Every structure is written in structure tokens, then in C-alpha cells.
Amino acid sequence: MGTCYSVKLVLVTKDEEKTKEAMRNFIFAELRKGTAVFDTIGKDLNNLESLVKVFITNNDYRRDGNTFTSCFDASYGWKGILLEMFSAIAPTLEDTSQIYVEPDKDYDLLKIVNGKVVVMH
């Protein structure tokens, strides 16, 4: 069982290498804990787009500059993974960064404001 997700991720990095490192660290920590299953096989985890694709469950996405959008099916808990990942990489992001996650009929919106994650909805 799962749900449909619509995701808009705006990533404006202070240092892309640090953002990629934080994403990789998050993936490997979750894999070690067994709390999430990421398909990393054949992915270049040194590439920002590949890392984003891992988080959006390897589905197609559209990229317009720093904005990644995708719609996909995943487990009910995937929203938490997306929001936790955003929080984990927050120190590496600029204030214009945000994540919008809409599972079914509700949504979550987190933004970076003054260098910190702020829950807008």
C-alpha cells in the first residue's frame, strides 16, 4: 500500500559538495537503521540530480534551474523521509530553498528562513 506524492523541491546550495555529502550521509544512515529502502544501484551518488532522484523513488522529474518537481507513488511513510532529508541538508542550503510535499489531500511546506527550517504548513 502507498500513496501518491507531488513534490516540489527548490535546492539552492551554499556549497553543492556539502549538500551532496549530507544527502549521502542521510541515505546511508537510514539504510543502516533499516528505516528506509533507497534504490541506489547504478546511481552516481556524487551527482546532485542522481541524489534527488533517489529521494523521489527513481521516478521521472522535471528540473527548472534549482527546482525539481515530480509526482510518484510510494509508501505512506515516504513523506517523513522527504521532510527529514530536507531538514538534514538544511545547513547547506540558502534561504530560498524549500520543499513542498503533497500526499493525497493535504500538504507540507518547509522553507529555509534565516538559515533554519521553518514549517510553513
Side-chain angles (χ1 to χ4, degrees), residues 13 21 23 33 38 64 72-73 107-108:
T13 64
E21 179 182 8
M23 291 175 93
K33 290 189 291 188
F38 297 100
D64 183 9
F72 57 91
D73 294 328
Y107 72 94
D108 290 271

Side-chain angles (χ1 to χ4, degrees), residues 3-35:
T3 193
C4 297
Y5 291 91
S6 176
V7 176
K8 179 178 178 183
L9 177 63
V10 180
L11 286 179
V12 182
T13 64
K14 294 177 187 175
D15 180 333
E16 187 173 308
E17 291 304 315
K18 287 184 179 179
T19 300
K20 292 186 296 188
E21 179 182 8
M23 291 175 93
R24 284 189 302 269
N25 289 343
F26 182 87
I27 289 169
F28 295 127
E30 293 298 309
L31 287 171
R32 278 191 301 277
K33 290 189 291 188
T35 53

Side-chain angles (χ1 to χ4, degrees), residues 3-90:
T3 193
C4 297
Y5 291 91
S6 176
V7 176
K8 179 178 178 183
L9 177 63
V10 180
L11 286 179
V12 182
T13 64
K14 294 177 187 175
D15 180 333
E16 187 173 308
E17 291 304 315
K18 287 184 179 179
T19 300
K20 292 186 296 188
E21 179 182 8
M23 291 175 93
R24 284 189 302 269
N25 289 343
F26 182 87
I27 289 169
F28 295 127
E30 293 298 309
L31 287 171
R32 278 191 301 277
K33 290 189 291 188
T35 53
V37 177
F38 297 100
D39 180 6
T40 59
I41 297 170
K43 305 295 181 304
D44 178 2
L45 299 183
N46 292 310
N47 177 286
L48 185 62
E49 286 195 52
S50 291
L51 287 161
V52 169
K53 195 166 185 174
V54 167
F55 280 100
I56 57 174
T57 66
N58 295 305
N59 287 279
D60 289 329
Y61 61 88
R62 291 183 308 279
R63 182 175 185 180
D64 183 9
N66 295 322
T67 303
F68 299 84
T69 56
S70 182
C71 295
F72 57 91
D73 294 328
S75 67
Y76 287 113
W78 206 256
K79 176 182 87 168
I81 296 296
L82 291 166
L83 300 179
E84 288 174 29
M85 177 275 301
F86 187 76
S87 294
I89 66 172

